[in-house]
Amino acid sequence: MIIVLKALSNEKRLKILQWLKEPKKNFASSHCDVAKDGVCVGLIEEKIGLSQSTVSQYLMLLQQAGLITTERRGQWTYCKRNEKAIKELVKNLENI
Amino acid sequence: MIIVLKALSNEKRLKILQWLKEPKKNFASSHCDVAKDGVCVGLIEEKIGLSQSTVSQYLMLLQQAGLITTERRGQWTYCKRNEKAIKELVKNLENI
DNA sequence: TTGACATATCGGAAAATCTCGATATAATAA
DNA sequence: TTATTATATCGAGATTTTCCGATATGTCAA
């Protein structure tokens, strides 16, 4: 619970999570379908204006918190929201 | 939003908020009715095992985040959960 | 008024977080 | 195989958070 709240309590990470809610609206990829495949790290990096290493670490944090899933495919790592876990979190927060 | 999540993303502060949900179960006061009046700082301090100054500061953070209300009455400061704000938060988190 | 109690504020040490550049790894293309 | 591209990891400086003790303020009781 704390680890999830910690992951969320950062503006940039929260923004990433929110962007991933509407991949098509927020990202454009030439090599994949962001809605189906997920959004690769480079696109997020480009949009958020943080260094590549920072984005990579932030995504790791979000993943450890269970808020996103990542999947390596070829040279890319695709990120998606973990809607199930997010719903679970909100449900838990209801009796905080 | 971020300020609220930051306030919540600390184990001790989250604990305080949760304790305040059931004042009668968690606190016993000789000079007031914790359910009606609220819980004074000293009781929280005693239970959580942090210094008086730290507890005072944490309560200030929770208050600034809108999660609790505090009211000075006599020499005591009584704390209560701000259920309305908490509900609002959870509602907002639903479309995070 | 003075002393005792409850809480708030201040200043700072230690730990954690933020963020970067450099470098490593992994996959692909030439 | 080598170069290129995408991502991960490492090490470190800057900033923020955690938490304390000392001190200040406010209230009450004698």
Side-chain angles (χ1 to χ4, degrees):
Chain A
M1 183 68 145
I2 287 293
I3 200 178
V4 182
L5 288 168
K6 267 196 167 56
L8 286 176
S9 70
N10 170 284
E11 206 184 331
K12 307 287 174 52
R13 288 193 297 264
L14 187 57
K15 196 156 279 251
I16 290 172
L17 199 69
Q18 288 170 332
W19 282 341
L20 288 179
K21 203 174 179 183
E22 299 177 280
K24 227 160 199 161
K25 180 184 159 196
N26 293 300
F27 303 98
S29 173
S30 52
H31 64 81
C32 73
D33 175 351
V34 292
K36 213 187 59 184
D37 303 321
V39 178
C40 63
V41 182
L43 289 176
I44 296 171
E45 178 196 342
E46 189 182 297
K47 181 156 177 139
I48 207 156
L50 287 172
S51 75
Q52 185 268 317
S53 58
T54 300
V55 172
S56 186
Q57 283 175 99
Y58 277 13
L59 292 172
M60 182 66 78
L61 279 181
L62 287 170
Q63 191 197 354
Q64 283 168 350
L67 294 165
I68 65 171
T69 61
T70 65
E71 186 195 354
R72 181 98 192 197
R73 203 132 31 85
Q75 56 189 146
W76 290 281
T77 299
Y78 295 95
C79 305
K80 283 183 184 180
R81 281 166 58 103
N82 186 348
E83 296 294 354
K84 196 177 162 188
I86 293 171
K87 268 209 183 86
E88 197 67 29
L89 167 72
V90 172
K91 203 173 157 190
N92 287 338
L93 281 172
E94 265 163 28
N95 42 331
I96 213 172
Chain B
M1 183 67 145
I2 288 293
I3 200 178
V4 182
L5 289 167
K6 267 197 165 58
L8 286 175
S9 70
N10 171 284
E11 205 183 332
K12 307 289 174 54
R13 288 193 297 264
L14 187 57
K15 196 156 279 254
I16 290 173
L17 200 67
Q18 289 169 331
W19 282 341
L20 288 179
K21 202 175 180 183
E22 299 177 280
K24 227 161 199 161
K25 180 182 157 196
N26 293 299
F27 303 98
S29 173
S30 52
H31 64 79
C32 72
D33 175 351
V34 293
K36 213 186 61 184
D37 302 322
V39 178
C40 63
V41 182
L43 288 176
I44 297 171
E45 179 197 340
E46 189 182 297
K47 182 157 178 136
I48 207 155
L50 287 171
S51 75
Q52 185 268 316
S53 59
T54 299
V55 172
S56 187
Q57 283 173 100
Y58 277 13
L59 291 172
M60 181 67 79
L61 278 180
L62 287 170
Q63 191 196 355
Q64 284 169 350
L67 294 164
I68 65 170
T69 60
T70 65
E71 186 196 355
R72 180 98 193 196
R73 205 134 27 87
Q75 55 190 147
W76 290 283
T77 299
Y78 295 96
C79 306
K80 282 183 184 177
R81 281 167 59 103
N82 185 349
E83 295 294 354
K84 196 176 160 188
I86 293 171
K87 269 211 181 83
E88 197 68 29
L89 167 72
V90 172
K91 203 173 157 190
N92 287 339
L93 282 173
E94 266 163 26
N95 44 330
I96 213 172

